[in-house]
Amino acid sequence: MSLNVGLIRVVTLEDEELLNLHGRLLEDRFGLQVESKCIEDQPEGIHDEATERQAIDKIVSLAEDFEGQSKDLIFISCAADPALEEARKEVKIPVIGAGSSCASIAMAVGSRVGVIGITQTAPVAMKKILRDSFVAYLRPEGVNNTLDLLVEKNRKNVIDAAYKLKDLGCDVIALGCTGMTTIGIADHIRRQVDIPVVDPLIASAMIISHIGHIY
Amino acid sequence: MSLNVGLIRVVTLEDEELLNLHGRLLEDRFGLQVESKCIEDQPEGIHDEATERQAIDKIVSLAEDFEGQSKDLIFISCAADPALEEARKEVKIPVIGAGSSCASIAMAVGSRVGVIGITQTAPVAMKKILRDSFVAYLRPEGVNNTLDLLVEKNRKNVIDAAYKLKDLGCDVIALGCTGMTTIGIADHIRRQVDIPVVDPLIASAMIISHIGHIY
């Protein structure tokens, strides 16, 4: 019997297809059953401390909704793990965050972790786990959002960033944004640079799909 | 197609059934294909720094054997992760350790981790990853080896230790010895104490079975 996952998107998405993008991937590749909900009135999502504070209560409230619907587990699909601690306090079912999952899996496969993302700095939620194993964070040139990753020149810059991290002695790369999953950038890096790459959405699915072994 | 795993036991085991105990569990519960080998001339395994040093070259040599046999991946089935770094330097295929896997998965499901084990102190390999999230280590009274865990009175002491860790504010328990897997102590704790429990062998399997998403 497949797990019933309540997935929280931390950006307001009117388009059903966009809303379900992360969930669809978990369903297709990991056999999970996923319902996605998004927070209201934040079409630009979380991009600084103020917008993160704004989102906390909304995320916790969605988590409570999902618990009321008898979901097996809640997944906050953002590498910044917004409201992860808060949601864990309010609901009794497991709550998994993409950032801590990604950092954790990276720690299991390597000991010198480089992070590539599209934000100005690496997600605090990931650095908190990586600690001394964190080597460096790079935002590839020209990349400020996931759409930029579709531009050929920018994809080359991603590869350059990965090579730079490898040169710095990194033995694994962790991706610092769930938006990087859906465009397949992990495979692209892996193939070209020959280094293991941990994707936040995939790392979460690795944990979620076996959560019954822990709880 | 199932993954071909080379599993290293860090204790000399003449008995085929004992040698294959960990591998059988990974095969039966995770559909992996496992061949187990053990280090020579250490029937008491690794129990201090001297015996760990003695084992390093043997473990690396077994890893090289497995690589020569075209295994997909090597798994060092011990929560102390002996020779993990050394083996990773010598072979090109992924090397996974039970200690780092267990600590990593615990970090993904909680933020205040208690460790229960049968050794005098928590495995350094686990504490190195848990860092600030490490709350306490307990060896249950009367428990000095895995056989002790089969004694009813000692199993009660394990439960007492788990309650103690829960009282200390732990939100997850990580088991600090792969010998604790085969006797089902994780389920026993989970059922009685109502706290998530991460088992080193199971945590490793969670990562190994999806390793193709990373490498």
Side-chain angles (χ1 to χ4, degrees), chain A residues 29-30 84-85 88-89 95-97 100-101 104-105 107-112 128-129 131-132 171-172 186-187 190 195-199 202 205-215, chain B residues 29-30 84-85 88-89 95-97 100-101 104-105 107-112 128-129 131-133 171-172 186-187 190 195-199 202 205-215:
Chain A
R29 294 174 68 174
F30 290 85
L84 179 62
E85 289 291 324
R88 280 181 176 161
K89 275 186 199 125
V95 185
I96 297 299
S100 45
S101 295
S104 297
I105 297 288
M107 295 282 274
V109 300
S111 53
R112 292 174 298 283
K128 216 173 67 182
I129 285 181
R131 301 287 304 259
D132 285 352
D171 55 6
V172 57
D187 277 340
R190 216 177 276 126
I195 189 166
V197 182
V198 182
D199 176 289
I202 301 292
M206 288 169 65
I207 292 163
I208 291 169
S209 58
H210 293 296
I211 204 79
H213 288 294
I214 298 173
Y215 285 83
Chain B
R29 292 175 67 174
F30 290 86
L84 178 63
E85 289 292 325
R88 281 181 176 162
K89 275 185 198 125
V95 186
I96 297 298
S100 45
S101 295
S104 297
I105 297 287
M107 295 282 274
V109 300
S111 54
R112 292 173 298 282
K128 216 173 68 183
I129 285 181
R131 301 287 305 259
D132 286 353
S133 302
D171 54 5
V172 57
D187 277 339
R190 216 175 278 127
I195 190 166
V197 182
V198 182
D199 176 290
I202 300 292
M206 288 170 65
I207 292 163
I208 292 169
S209 58
H210 293 295
I211 203 80
H213 288 295
I214 298 174
Y215 285 83

Coordinates of all heavy atoms in Angstrom, one line a residue, chain A residues 29-30 84-85 88-89 95-97 100-101 104-105 107-112 128-129 131-132 171-172 186-187 190 195-199 202 205-215, chain B residues 29-30 84-85 88-89 95-97 100-101 104-105 107-112 128-129 131-133 171-172 186-187 190 195-199 202 205-215:
Chain A
R29 N 8.2 8.5 -9.8 CA 9.5 7.9 -9.6 C 9.6 7.1 -8.3 O 10.5 6.3 -8.1 CB 10.6 8.9 -9.7 CG 10.7 9.5 -11.1 CD 11.7 10.6 -11.2 NE 13.1 10.2 -11.0 CZ 14.1 11.1 -11.2 NH1 13.9 12.3 -11.6 NH2 15.3 10.7 -11.1
F30 N 8.7 7.3 -7.3 CA 8.8 6.6 -6.1 C 7.5 5.9 -5.6 O 7.4 5.4 -4.5 CB 9.3 7.6 -5.0 CG 10.7 8.0 -5.1 CD1 11.1 9.1 -5.9 CD2 11.7 7.3 -4.5 CE1 12.4 9.4 -6.1 CE2 13.1 7.7 -4.6 CZ 13.4 8.7 -5.4
L84 N 9.6 24.0 9.5 CA 9.7 22.5 9.8 C 9.6 22.2 11.3 O 8.8 21.4 11.7 CB 11.1 22.0 9.3 CG 11.4 20.6 9.5 CD1 10.4 19.7 8.8 CD2 12.8 20.2 9.0
E85 N 10.4 23.0 12.1 CA 10.3 22.8 13.6 C 8.9 23.1 14.1 O 8.4 22.3 14.9 CB 11.3 23.7 14.3 CG 12.8 23.3 14.1 CD 13.1 21.9 14.8 OE1 12.6 21.7 15.8 OE2 14.0 21.2 14.2
R88 N 6.4 20.4 13.2 CA 6.7 19.1 14.0 C 6.1 19.2 15.4 O 5.7 18.3 16.0 CB 8.2 18.9 14.1 CG 8.7 18.2 12.8 CD 10.2 17.9 12.9 NE 10.7 17.2 11.7 CZ 11.9 17.1 11.3 NH1 12.9 17.7 12.0 NH2 12.2 16.4 10.2
K89 N 6.1 20.5 15.9 CA 5.5 20.7 17.2 C 4.0 20.5 17.2 O 3.4 20.1 18.2 CB 5.9 22.1 17.8 CG 7.2 22.0 18.5 CD 7.6 23.4 19.1 CE 9.1 23.4 19.4 NZ 9.7 24.6 18.8
V95 N 7.0 14.9 9.8 CA 7.1 16.1 8.9 C 8.6 16.1 8.4 O 9.5 16.1 9.1 CB 6.9 17.4 9.6 CG1 6.9 18.6 8.6 CG2 5.5 17.4 10.3
I96 N 8.7 16.0 7.1 CA 10.0 15.9 6.4 C 10.2 17.2 5.6 O 9.3 17.7 5.0 CB 10.0 14.7 5.5 CG1 9.9 13.4 6.3 CG2 11.3 14.7 4.6 CD1 11.0 13.1 7.3
G97 N 11.5 17.7 5.7 CA 11.8 19.0 4.9 C 12.8 18.7 3.9 O 13.7 17.8 4.1
S100 N 16.8 19.7 5.0 CA 17.5 18.8 5.9 C 17.6 17.4 5.3 O 18.7 16.7 5.5 CB 16.7 18.7 7.2 OG 15.3 18.5 7.0
S101 N 16.7 16.9 4.5 CA 16.8 15.6 3.8 C 18.0 15.7 2.9 O 18.8 14.7 2.8 CB 15.6 15.3 3.0 OG 14.5 15.2 3.9
S104 N 21.3 15.8 4.8 CA 21.5 14.6 5.5 C 22.0 13.5 4.6 O 23.0 12.8 4.8 CB 20.3 14.1 6.2 OG 19.8 15.0 7.1
I105 N 21.4 13.3 3.4 CA 21.8 12.3 2.5 C 23.2 12.6 2.0 O 24.0 11.7 1.8 CB 20.8 12.2 1.3 CG1 19.4 11.7 1.9 CG2 21.3 11.2 0.3 CD1 19.3 10.3 2.3
M107 N 25.6 14.0 3.6 CA 26.5 13.6 4.7 C 26.7 12.1 4.7 O 27.7 11.6 5.2 CB 25.9 14.0 6.0 CG 25.8 15.5 6.2 SD 27.4 16.2 6.6 CE 27.5 16.0 8.4
A108 N 25.8 11.3 4.2 CA 25.9 9.9 4.2 C 26.7 9.4 3.0 O 27.3 8.3 3.1 CB 24.5 9.2 4.2
V109 N 26.9 10.2 2.0 CA 27.6 9.7 0.8 C 29.0 10.4 0.7 O 29.8 10.0 -0.1 CB 26.8 9.8 -0.5 CG1 25.6 9.0 -0.4 CG2 26.5 11.2 -0.8
G110 N 29.2 11.5 1.4 CA 30.5 12.2 1.3 C 30.8 12.9 2.6 O 30.0 12.9 3.6
S111 N 32.0 13.6 2.6 CA 32.3 14.3 3.9 C 32.7 15.7 3.6 O 33.0 16.5 4.5 CB 33.4 13.6 4.6 OG 34.5 13.3 3.8
R112 N 32.8 16.1 2.3 CA 33.1 17.5 1.9 C 32.1 17.9 0.9 O 32.1 17.6 -0.3 CB 34.5 17.6 1.3 CG 35.6 17.3 2.4 CD 37.0 17.2 1.8 NE 37.1 16.1 0.8 CZ 37.3 14.8 1.2 NH1 37.3 14.5 2.4 NH2 37.3 13.9 0.2
K128 N 23.2 24.2 8.7 CA 23.0 23.8 10.1 C 23.3 22.3 10.2 O 23.9 21.8 11.3 CB 21.6 24.0 10.5 CG 21.5 24.5 12.0 CD 20.0 24.9 12.3 CE 19.1 23.7 12.3 NZ 17.7 24.1 12.5
I129 N 23.0 21.5 9.2 CA 23.3 20.1 9.3 C 24.7 19.7 8.8 O 25.4 18.9 9.3 CB 22.2 19.3 8.5 CG1 20.9 19.3 9.3 CG2 22.7 17.9 8.1 CD1 19.8 18.5 8.7
R131 N 27.4 21.6 8.7 CA 28.4 22.1 9.7 C 29.9 22.1 9.0 O 30.1 22.6 8.0 CB 28.4 21.3 11.0 CG 27.0 21.3 11.7 CD 26.8 22.7 12.3 NE 27.9 23.0 13.2 CZ 27.9 22.9 14.6 NH1 26.8 22.4 15.1 NH2 28.9 23.3 15.3
D132 N 30.8 21.4 9.7 CA 32.2 21.3 9.2 C 32.3 20.7 7.8 O 33.3 20.8 7.2 CB 33.0 20.5 10.2 CG 33.3 21.4 11.4 OD1 33.0 22.5 11.4 OD2 33.9 20.8 12.4
D171 N 33.5 16.1 -2.4 CA 33.3 14.8 -2.9 C 31.8 14.5 -3.1 O 31.4 13.4 -3.6 CB 33.9 13.7 -1.9 CG 33.4 13.8 -0.5 OD1 32.5 14.7 -0.2 OD2 33.9 13.1 0.4
V172 N 31.0 15.5 -2.9 CA 29.5 15.4 -3.3 C 29.0 16.8 -3.4 O 29.4 17.8 -2.7 CB 28.8 14.6 -2.2 CG1 28.9 15.2 -0.8 CG2 27.3 14.5 -2.5
A186 N 20.5 17.9 -11.9 CA 21.4 17.0 -11.2 C 22.0 16.0 -12.2 O 23.2 15.8 -12.1 CB 20.6 16.2 -10.1
D187 N 21.2 15.4 -13.0 CA 21.7 14.4 -14.0 C 22.8 15.1 -14.9 O 23.8 14.5 -15.2 CB 20.6 13.9 -14.9 CG 19.8 12.8 -14.3 OD1 20.4 12.2 -13.4 OD2 18.7 12.5 -14.7
R190 N 26.0 15.5 -12.9 CA 26.6 14.2 -12.7 C 27.3 13.6 -14.0 O 28.4 13.2 -13.9 CB 25.4 13.2 -12.3 CG 25.8 12.2 -11.3 CD 24.5 11.4 -11.0 NE 23.7 12.1 -10.0 CZ 22.4 12.3 -10.1 NH1 21.8 12.0 -11.3 NH2 21.7 12.9 -9.2
I195 N 30.6 13.5 -10.5 CA 30.6 13.7 -9.0 C 29.2 13.4 -8.6 O 28.2 13.7 -9.3 CB 31.0 15.2 -8.7 CG1 31.2 15.3 -7.1 CG2 30.0 16.2 -9.2 CD1 31.9 16.6 -6.7
P196 N 29.1 12.7 -7.4 CA 27.7 12.5 -7.0 C 26.9 13.8 -6.7 O 27.5 14.7 -6.1 CB 27.9 11.6 -5.7 CG 29.3 11.6 -5.4 CD 30.1 12.1 -6.6
V197 N 25.7 13.8 -7.0 CA 24.8 15.0 -6.8 C 23.6 14.6 -6.0 O 22.9 13.6 -6.5 CB 24.5 15.6 -8.1 CG1 23.6 16.9 -7.9 CG2 25.7 16.0 -9.0
V198 N 23.3 15.3 -4.9 CA 22.1 15.0 -4.2 C 21.1 16.1 -4.5 O 21.4 17.3 -4.3 CB 22.4 14.9 -2.7 CG1 21.1 14.6 -1.9 CG2 23.4 13.9 -2.4
D199 N 19.9 15.7 -4.9 CA 18.8 16.6 -5.2 C 17.8 16.6 -4.0 O 17.5 15.6 -3.5 CB 18.2 16.0 -6.5 CG 17.0 16.8 -6.9 OD1 15.9 16.7 -6.2 OD2 17.1 17.5 -7.9
I202 N 14.6 14.5 -4.5 CA 14.9 13.0 -4.6 C 15.4 12.5 -3.2 O 14.9 11.5 -2.7 CB 16.1 12.8 -5.6 CG1 15.6 13.3 -7.0 CG2 16.4 11.3 -5.6 CD1 14.5 12.5 -7.6
A205 N 12.4 12.0 -1.1 CA 11.7 10.8 -1.5 C 12.4 9.6 -1.0 O 11.7 8.6 -0.6 CB 11.5 10.8 -3.0
M206 N 13.7 9.6 -0.9 CA 14.4 8.4 -0.4 C 14.1 8.1 1.0 O 13.9 7.0 1.5 CB 16.0 8.7 -0.5 CG 16.5 8.6 -1.9 SD 18.2 9.3 -2.1 CE 19.1 8.0 -1.1
I207 N 13.9 9.2 1.8 CA 13.5 9.1 3.2 C 12.0 8.8 3.3 O 11.6 7.9 4.1 CB 13.9 10.3 4.0 CG1 15.5 10.4 4.0 CG2 13.3 10.3 5.4 CD1 16.0 11.7 4.4
I208 N 11.2 9.5 2.6 CA 9.7 9.4 2.7 C 9.3 8.0 2.4 O 8.5 7.3 3.1 CB 9.0 10.4 1.8 CG1 9.2 11.8 2.4 CG2 7.5 10.1 1.7 CD1 8.8 12.9 1.4
S209 N 9.9 7.4 1.3 CA 9.4 6.1 0.8 C 9.7 5.0 1.8 O 9.1 3.9 1.7 CB 9.9 5.8 -0.6 OG 11.3 5.8 -0.6
H210 N 10.6 5.2 2.7 CA 11.0 4.2 3.7 C 10.6 4.6 5.1 O 11.1 4.1 6.1 CB 12.5 3.9 3.6 CG 12.9 3.2 2.4 ND1 12.4 1.9 2.0 CD2 13.7 3.6 1.4 CE1 12.9 1.6 0.9 NE2 13.7 2.6 0.4
I211 N 9.8 5.6 5.3 CA 9.5 6.2 6.6 C 8.9 5.2 7.5 O 9.1 5.3 8.8 CB 8.6 7.5 6.4 CG1 8.8 8.4 7.6 CG2 7.1 7.1 6.3 CD1 10.0 9.2 7.6
G212 N 8.2 4.2 7.0 CA 7.6 3.1 7.8 C 8.7 2.3 8.6 O 8.4 1.6 9.5
H213 N 9.9 2.4 8.2 CA 11.0 1.7 8.9 C 11.5 2.5 10.1 O 12.3 2.0 10.9 CB 12.2 1.5 8.0 CG 12.0 0.5 6.9 ND1 11.8 -0.9 7.2 CD2 11.9 0.6 5.6 CE1 11.7 -1.5 6.1 NE2 11.7 -0.7 5.1
I214 N 11.0 3.7 10.3 CA 11.5 4.6 11.3 C 10.4 4.9 12.4 O 10.7 4.9 13.5 CB 12.1 5.9 10.7 CG1 13.3 5.6 9.8 CG2 12.5 6.9 11.8 CD1 13.8 6.8 9.1
Y215 N 9.2 5.1 11.9 CA 8.1 5.5 12.7 C 7.2 4.3 13.1 O 7.2 3.4 12.4 CB 7.2 6.6 12.1 CG 7.9 7.9 12.1 CD1 8.9 8.3 11.2 CD2 7.6 8.9 13.1 CE1 9.5 9.5 11.2 CE2 8.3 10.1 13.2 CZ 9.2 10.4 12.2 OH 9.8 11.6 12.2
Chain B
R29 N 14.5 -7.5 2.8 CA 13.6 -6.4 3.0 C 13.8 -5.3 2.0 O 12.9 -4.4 1.9 CB 13.8 -5.9 4.4 CG 13.3 -6.9 5.5 CD 13.6 -6.5 6.9 NE 12.9 -5.3 7.4 CZ 13.0 -4.9 8.6 NH1 13.7 -5.6 9.5 NH2 12.4 -3.9 9.0
F30 N 14.8 -5.3 1.2 CA 15.1 -4.2 0.3 C 15.4 -4.6 -1.1 O 15.7 -3.8 -2.0 CB 16.2 -3.3 0.8 CG 15.8 -2.5 2.0 CD1 16.0 -3.0 3.3 CD2 15.3 -1.2 1.9 CE1 15.6 -2.3 4.4 CE2 14.9 -0.4 3.0 CZ 15.1 -1.0 4.2
L84 N 36.1 3.9 6.4 CA 35.2 4.5 5.4 C 35.9 5.5 4.5 O 35.9 5.4 3.3 CB 34.0 5.1 6.1 CG 33.0 5.8 5.2 CD1 32.3 4.8 4.3 CD2 31.9 6.6 6.0
E85 N 36.6 6.4 5.2 CA 37.4 7.5 4.4 C 38.5 6.8 3.6 O 38.6 7.1 2.4 CB 38.0 8.5 5.3 CG 37.0 9.4 6.0 CD 36.3 10.4 5.0 OE1 37.0 10.8 4.1 OE2 35.1 10.7 5.2
R88 N 37.0 5.0 0.6 CA 36.6 5.9 -0.4 C 37.7 6.4 -1.3 O 37.5 6.8 -2.5 CB 35.8 7.1 0.2 CG 34.4 6.7 0.6 CD 33.6 7.8 1.2 NE 32.2 7.4 1.5 CZ 31.4 8.0 2.4 NH1 31.8 9.1 3.0 NH2 30.2 7.6 2.5
K89 N 38.9 6.5 -0.7 CA 40.0 7.1 -1.4 C 40.5 6.0 -2.4 O 41.1 6.4 -3.5 CB 41.2 7.4 -0.5 CG 41.0 8.9 0.1 CD 42.2 9.3 0.9 CE 41.8 10.5 1.8 NZ 41.9 10.3 3.2
V95 N 31.1 4.0 -1.5 CA 31.2 3.3 -0.2 C 30.3 3.9 0.8 O 30.4 5.1 1.1 CB 32.7 3.3 0.3 CG1 32.9 2.4 1.5 CG2 33.7 2.9 -0.9
I96 N 29.5 3.1 1.4 CA 28.5 3.6 2.4 C 28.8 2.9 3.7 O 29.2 1.8 3.8 CB 27.1 3.2 1.9 CG1 26.7 3.9 0.6 CG2 26.0 3.5 3.0 CD1 26.7 5.4 0.7
G97 N 28.7 3.7 4.8 CA 29.0 3.2 6.1 C 27.7 3.3 7.0 O 26.9 4.2 6.8
S100 N 27.5 6.6 9.6 CA 27.1 7.9 9.0 C 25.7 7.8 8.4 O 25.0 8.8 8.4 CB 28.2 8.3 7.9 OG 28.5 7.2 7.1
S101 N 25.3 6.7 7.8 CA 24.0 6.6 7.3 C 22.9 6.7 8.4 O 22.0 7.4 8.3 CB 23.8 5.2 6.7 OG 24.6 5.0 5.5
S104 N 22.9 10.3 9.7 CA 22.3 11.2 8.7 C 20.8 11.1 8.6 O 20.1 12.1 8.6 CB 22.9 10.9 7.3 OG 24.3 11.1 7.3
I105 N 20.3 9.9 8.5 CA 18.9 9.7 8.4 C 18.2 10.3 9.7 O 17.1 10.9 9.7 CB 18.5 8.2 8.2 CG1 19.1 7.7 6.9 CG2 17.0 8.0 8.3 CD1 18.4 8.2 5.6
M107 N 19.1 12.8 11.4 CA 19.1 14.2 11.3 C 18.0 14.7 10.3 O 17.6 15.9 10.4 CB 20.4 14.7 10.7 CG 21.6 14.5 11.6 SD 21.7 15.7 12.9 CE 22.6 17.0 12.0
A108 N 17.6 13.8 9.4 CA 16.5 14.2 8.5 C 15.1 14.1 9.1 O 14.2 14.7 8.7 CB 16.6 13.3 7.2
V109 N 15.0 13.3 10.2 CA 13.7 13.1 10.8 C 13.5 13.8 12.1 O 12.4 13.9 12.7 CB 13.3 11.6 10.9 CG1 13.3 11.0 9.6 CG2 14.2 10.9 11.9
G110 N 14.6 14.3 12.7 CA 14.6 15.0 14.0 C 15.7 15.9 14.2 O 16.6 16.1 13.3
S111 N 15.7 16.6 15.3 CA 16.8 17.6 15.6 C 17.4 17.4 16.9 O 18.4 18.1 17.3 CB 16.3 19.0 15.4 OG 15.2 19.2 16.2
R112 N 16.9 16.5 17.7 CA 17.5 16.2 19.0 C 17.6 14.7 19.1 O 16.6 14.0 19.4 CB 16.6 16.8 20.2 CG 16.6 18.3 20.2 CD 15.6 18.9 21.2 NE 14.2 18.5 20.9 CZ 13.5 19.1 20.0 NH1 14.0 20.1 19.2 NH2 12.3 18.6 19.7
K128 N 30.2 12.7 15.0 CA 30.8 13.7 14.1 C 29.7 14.3 13.2 O 29.8 15.4 12.7 CB 31.8 12.9 13.2 CG 33.1 13.7 12.9 CD 34.1 12.9 12.2 CE 33.7 12.4 10.8 NZ 34.7 11.5 10.2
I129 N 28.7 13.5 12.8 CA 27.7 14.0 12.0 C 26.6 14.7 12.8 O 26.1 15.7 12.4 CB 27.1 12.8 11.1 CG1 28.1 12.5 10.0 CG2 25.7 13.2 10.6 CD1 27.6 11.4 9.1
R131 N 26.8 16.2 15.7 CA 27.2 17.5 16.3 C 26.3 18.0 17.4 O 25.9 17.3 18.3 CB 27.4 18.5 15.2 CG 28.5 18.0 14.1 CD 29.9 18.1 14.7 NE 30.2 19.4 15.2 CZ 30.9 20.3 14.6 NH1 31.4 20.0 13.4 NH2 31.1 21.5 15.1
D132 N 25.8 19.2 17.2 CA 24.9 19.9 18.2 C 23.6 19.1 18.4 O 22.9 19.4 19.3 CB 24.6 21.3 17.8 CG 25.8 22.2 18.0 OD1 26.8 21.7 18.6 OD2 25.7 23.4 17.6
S133 N 23.2 18.3 17.4 CA 21.9 17.6 17.5 C 22.0 16.4 18.4 O 21.0 15.7 18.7 CB 21.4 17.2 16.1 OG 21.3 18.3 15.3
D171 N 13.9 13.7 20.1 CA 12.7 13.5 19.2 C 13.0 12.3 18.2 O 12.1 12.0 17.4 CB 12.3 14.8 18.4 CG 13.4 15.4 17.6 OD1 14.6 14.8 17.6 OD2 13.2 16.5 17.1
V172 N 14.2 11.7 18.3 CA 14.5 10.5 17.6 C 15.6 9.8 18.3 O 16.4 10.4 18.9 CB 14.8 10.9 16.1 CG1 16.0 11.8 16.0 CG2 15.1 9.6 15.3
A186 N 14.7 -2.3 17.4 CA 14.1 -1.0 17.0 C 12.6 -1.0 17.1 O 12.0 -0.1 17.7 CB 14.6 -0.6 15.6
D187 N 12.0 -2.1 16.6 CA 10.5 -2.2 16.6 C 10.1 -2.2 18.1 O 9.1 -1.6 18.4 CB 10.1 -3.5 16.0 CG 10.0 -3.4 14.5 OD1 9.9 -2.2 14.0 OD2 10.1 -4.4 13.8
R190 N 10.2 1.3 19.5 CA 9.2 2.1 18.8 C 7.8 1.8 19.4 O 7.1 2.7 19.7 CB 9.2 1.7 17.3 CG 9.0 2.9 16.4 CD 9.2 2.4 15.0 NE 10.6 2.4 14.5 CZ 11.2 1.4 14.0 NH1 10.5 0.2 13.8 NH2 12.4 1.5 13.6
I195 N 8.4 6.6 19.9 CA 9.4 7.6 19.4 C 10.0 7.0 18.1 O 10.2 5.7 18.0 CB 10.5 7.8 20.5 CG1 11.4 9.0 20.1 CG2 11.3 6.6 20.8 CD1 12.3 9.5 21.2
P196 N 10.3 7.8 17.1 CA 10.9 7.2 15.9 C 12.3 6.7 16.2 O 13.1 7.2 17.0 CB 11.0 8.4 14.9 CG 10.7 9.6 15.7 CD 10.0 9.2 16.9
V197 N 12.7 5.5 15.6 CA 14.0 4.9 15.9 C 14.6 4.6 14.5 O 14.0 4.0 13.7 CB 13.8 3.6 16.7 CG1 15.1 2.9 17.0 CG2 13.0 3.8 18.0
V198 N 15.9 5.0 14.4 CA 16.6 4.8 13.2 C 17.7 3.7 13.5 O 18.5 3.8 14.4 CB 17.4 6.0 12.7 CG1 18.1 5.7 11.4 CG2 16.4 7.2 12.5
D199 N 17.6 2.6 12.7 CA 18.5 1.5 12.8 C 19.6 1.6 11.8 O 19.3 2.0 10.6 CB 17.6 0.3 12.5 CG 18.4 -1.0 12.5 OD1 19.2 -1.2 11.6 OD2 18.2 -1.8 13.5
I202 N 19.1 -0.6 8.5 CA 18.0 -0.1 7.7 C 18.3 1.3 7.1 O 18.0 1.5 5.9 CB 16.7 0.0 8.7 CG1 16.4 -1.3 9.3 CG2 15.5 0.6 7.9 CD1 15.9 -2.4 8.4
A205 N 20.3 0.8 4.1 CA 19.6 0.2 3.0 C 18.7 1.3 2.4 O 18.5 1.3 1.1 CB 18.7 -0.9 3.5
M206 N 18.2 2.2 3.1 CA 17.4 3.3 2.6 C 18.2 4.1 1.6 O 17.7 4.5 0.5 CB 16.9 4.3 3.7 CG 15.8 3.7 4.6 SD 15.5 4.6 6.1 CE 14.8 6.2 5.4
I207 N 19.5 4.3 1.9 CA 20.4 5.1 1.0 C 20.9 4.2 -0.2 O 20.8 4.6 -1.3 CB 21.5 5.7 1.8 CG1 21.0 6.7 2.7 CG2 22.6 6.2 0.9 CD1 21.9 7.1 3.8
I208 N 21.3 3.0 0.2 CA 21.8 2.1 -0.8 C 20.8 1.8 -1.9 O 21.1 1.8 -3.1 CB 22.3 0.7 -0.2 CG1 23.5 1.0 0.7 CG2 22.6 -0.3 -1.2 CD1 23.9 -0.2 1.6
S209 N 19.6 1.5 -1.5 CA 18.6 1.1 -2.5 C 18.3 2.2 -3.5 O 17.7 1.9 -4.6 CB 17.3 0.5 -1.8 OG 16.8 1.5 -1.0
H210 N 18.6 3.4 -3.2 CA 18.3 4.5 -4.1 C 19.6 5.2 -4.6 O 19.6 6.3 -5.1 CB 17.5 5.6 -3.4 CG 16.1 5.1 -3.1 ND1 15.2 4.8 -4.1 CD2 15.4 4.9 -2.0 CE1 14.0 4.4 -3.6 NE2 14.2 4.5 -2.3
I211 N 20.7 4.5 -4.4 CA 22.0 5.2 -4.7 C 22.1 5.6 -6.2 O 22.8 6.6 -6.5 CB 23.2 4.2 -4.3 CG1 24.5 5.0 -4.1 CG2 23.4 3.1 -5.4 CD1 24.5 5.6 -2.7
G212 N 21.4 4.9 -7.1 CA 21.4 5.3 -8.5 C 20.8 6.7 -8.7 O 21.1 7.3 -9.8
H213 N 20.2 7.3 -7.7 CA 19.7 8.7 -7.9 C 20.7 9.7 -7.6 O 20.5 10.9 -7.8 CB 18.5 8.9 -6.9 CG 17.2 8.2 -7.4 ND1 16.5 8.5 -8.5 CD2 16.5 7.2 -6.8 CE1 15.5 7.7 -8.6 NE2 15.5 6.9 -7.6
I214 N 21.9 9.2 -7.0 CA 22.9 10.2 -6.6 C 24.2 10.0 -7.4 O 24.8 11.0 -7.7 CB 23.2 9.9 -5.1 CG1 22.0 10.1 -4.2 CG2 24.4 10.7 -4.6 CD1 22.1 9.7 -2.8
Y215 N 24.5 8.8 -7.8 CA 25.8 8.6 -8.5 C 25.5 8.4 -10.0 O 24.4 8.0 -10.4 CB 26.5 7.3 -8.0 CG 27.2 7.6 -6.7 CD1 26.4 7.5 -5.5 CD2 28.5 7.9 -6.6 CE1 27.0 7.7 -4.3 CE2 29.1 8.1 -5.4 CZ 28.4 8.1 -4.3 OH 29.0 8.3 -3.1

